[in-house]
Amino acid sequence: MNLRCVECEATFPPQLIYQCPACGGILETVGQDAVAAFSFGEGGTPLLRASRIEAELPGFSGEIWLKDETRNPSGSFKDRLIASALGRAIAMGLRGVVCASSGNAGASTAAYAARAGVPAIIVVPAHTPLGKVTQIAAYGAILLLVEGHYSRSYDLARALAEKHGFANLTTTFINPYAVAGLTAVGHEIVAQLGRQAPSHVLIPTGSGPLVKGVWQGLREAGASTRLVAVQAAGCAPIVRAFEVGAQHVTAWGMPETIASGISDPLIGYERDGSYTLRLVRESRGLALSVSDDELRSAMRMLARLEGVYAEPTGASPIAALPKLLAGGHLPTGACIVCMITGHGFKDGRAYQEMPARTHRVEDPHDTAAVARLCEAAMHDFA
Ligand SMILES: *Cc1c(COP(=O)(O)O)cnc(C)c1O
Ligand SMILES: [Zn+2]
């Protein structure tokens, strides 16, 4: 498996480098990988029909499917990238791993490093949700909390990888072996749907490796699917460039959103966003943003109508559905796959603020009173 630059198309023999030595461009892998992933159950996630959500979308007559990536070992699709990149790092004899993360990639790296018995240094912004920070610490990784936005963690991880001679498993486009682990998503979707390829795949998008993996996997499987990159309105550098027809994505100033998984301002690696935008356009797809309120209502729908508990980012494709419909982007008979990328266990805060059918029972012996309470709650809201 060689490396190839997505900009100048120069190729290089397999090695652990993080950008094209000729032009500084993003590297991708080409050909079949002879090195096994360090697997422990990632991938092969279920594709679930969301018929109750379909029924809630007036005027929609197609199919909606959920690719439930919350089922991965550490609760997000990041496990696919880390399994692939860690397998390569171990084969190259590296002594440890470093990962800059907004939470999920760090949790994944920490889990996989624990299993492999290699040291891990995880660098995250200090404001990362508590559930994610707790998970990383539990696996025994060295956890560094850095004030300020994600890009500062990104720079520190690069420096630490160099200093310690560790592999950098940061899941932007920096590690081509990580990104290679995502092609399987596209293949799985086509195999699971069987009789037809999806017309659209909706993808929560930070820097864009998941867009690339889905795009490549679908292409290899012969599908011509439109990709929809979904970002949070409070951090939407790719959407902003898409809307003005720009080629180049510029960095976002200060992210402000509950969607921590895609809160990526791209400062210092704007080219990742430009590449992602290029792939979205090649698929004849689009990029759109959703507000935090739209995210909350999507989380609620996903949990209450389909039994799927997602972190805010993971519900963003559901938030995009009504907007795509209203914009006339979903033709009759559209077959839509929503990537549900991260588990609700990682960030329960947003749910805690939502109205719920929760009641304190004063006297558990008074079953009549409790029954009346339940009866009332059933009529509370639909
Ligand atoms: C990392 C992450 C994303 C964004 O993935 P990219 O490949 O960086 O675009 C989306 N959802 C969740 C839950 C994530 O952790
Ligand atoms: Zn190049």
Side-chain angles (χ1 to χ4, degrees):
M1 170 187 263
N2 284 322
L3 297 175
R4 179 174 60 199
C5 173
V6 305
E7 301 298 338
C8 75
E9 295 184 2
T11 61
F12 308 92
Q15 55 193 298
L16 203 55
I17 48 176
Y18 303 113
Q19 59 177 31
C20 170
C23 79
I26 292 168
L27 293 169
E28 63 181 354
T29 60
V30 282
Q32 208 58 38
D33 199 346
V35 175
F38 185 87
S39 295
F40 84 101
E42 70 287 340
T45 53
L47 186 70
L48 311 165
R49 180 83 183 260
S51 43
R52 297 192 68 209
I53 289 181
E54 286 168 13
E56 287 291 309
L57 291 172
F60 180 73
S61 61
E63 295 178 10
I64 295 169
W65 296 83
L66 312 172
K67 183 66 171 156
D68 187 2
E69 292 292 311
T70 70
R71 312 285 188 99
N72 284 294
S74 81
S76 85
F77 80 96
K78 294 295 199 302
D79 291 339
R80 296 175 182 266
L81 296 120
I82 300 306
S84 173
L86 183 59
R88 176 59 63 160
I90 290 169
M92 287 182 169
L94 285 144
R95 298 166 35 238
V97 293
V98 182
C99 179
S101 168
S102 62
N104 288 335
S108 182
T109 301
Y112 279 70
R115 247 186 112 70
V118 298
I121 306 173
I122 311 298
V123 194
V124 301
H127 57 74
T128 301
L130 191 60
K132 297 184 182 184
V133 168
T134 307
Q135 188 184 7
I136 295 166
Y139 295 125
I142 298 165
L143 175 58
L144 306 176
L145 306 170
V146 179
E147 285 304 331
H149 54 65
Y150 171 69
S151 303
R152 297 186 63 190
S153 302
Y154 179 87
D155 291 338
L156 178 56
R158 271 168 62 138
L160 288 173
E162 199 160 314
K163 203 153 189 81
H164 293 281
F166 282 11
N168 191 343
L169 304 194
T170 300
T171 59
T172 57
F173 281 108
I174 205 170
N175 188 320
Y177 301 104
V179 181
L182 291 175
T183 317
V185 178
H187 287 280
E188 286 174 24
I189 289 171
V190 169
Q192 287 170 313
L193 276 175
R195 59 214 149 78
Q196 92 224 75
S199 58
H200 300 73
V201 180
L202 277 47
I203 308 173
T205 304
S207 62
L210 185 56
V211 168
K212 154 103 175 170
V214 171
W215 177 84
Q216 190 174 331
L218 288 169
R219 281 207 153 191
E220 288 171 2
S224 56
T225 299
R226 290 179 202 258
L227 300 187
V228 180
V230 184
Q231 297 204 290
C235 184
I238 295 172
V239 174
R240 183 172 61 188
F242 176 81
E243 284 176 349
V244 299
Q247 299 286 336
H248 293 283
V249 170
T250 53
W252 195 264
M254 197 56 205
E256 243 172 275
T257 172
I258 59 168
S260 64
I262 47 174
S263 178
D264 189 337
L266 304 176
I267 300 167
Y269 49 101
E270 295 83 352
R271 58 151 205 204
D272 282 21
S274 304
Y275 179 53
T276 300
L277 182 55
R278 187 176 116 191
L279 299 180
V280 166
R281 287 203 175 112
E282 271 183 42
S283 80
R284 296 177 305 127
L286 62 141
L288 92 177
S289 63
V290 294
S291 71
D292 282 2
D293 278 344
E294 288 164 338
L295 283 170
R296 286 188 194 94
S297 99
M299 290 159 71
R300 204 175 143 85
M301 274 178 91
L302 205 46
R304 291 178 178 235
L305 299 178
E306 303 293 350
V308 174
Y309 188 39
E311 65 173 280
T313 299
S316 61
I318 305 301
L321 285 170
K323 303 189 107 166
L324 287 168
L325 252 180
H329 297 294
L330 301 180
T332 321
C335 175
I336 300 163
V337 173
C338 295
M339 294 299 306
I340 311 302
T341 46
H343 208 294
F345 289 157
K346 286 162 171 287
D347 189 7
R349 215 183 14 174
Y351 287 97
Q352 286 153 15
E353 291 156 8
M354 289 179 190
R357 295 178 172 120
T358 308
H359 302 276
R360 195 162 290 282
V361 172
E362 300 304 338
D363 178 7
H365 298 292
D366 189 354
T367 46
V370 178
R372 274 196 305 277
L373 201 152
C374 293
E375 194 65 34
M378 281 175 216
H379 299 291
D380 229 359
F381 50 83

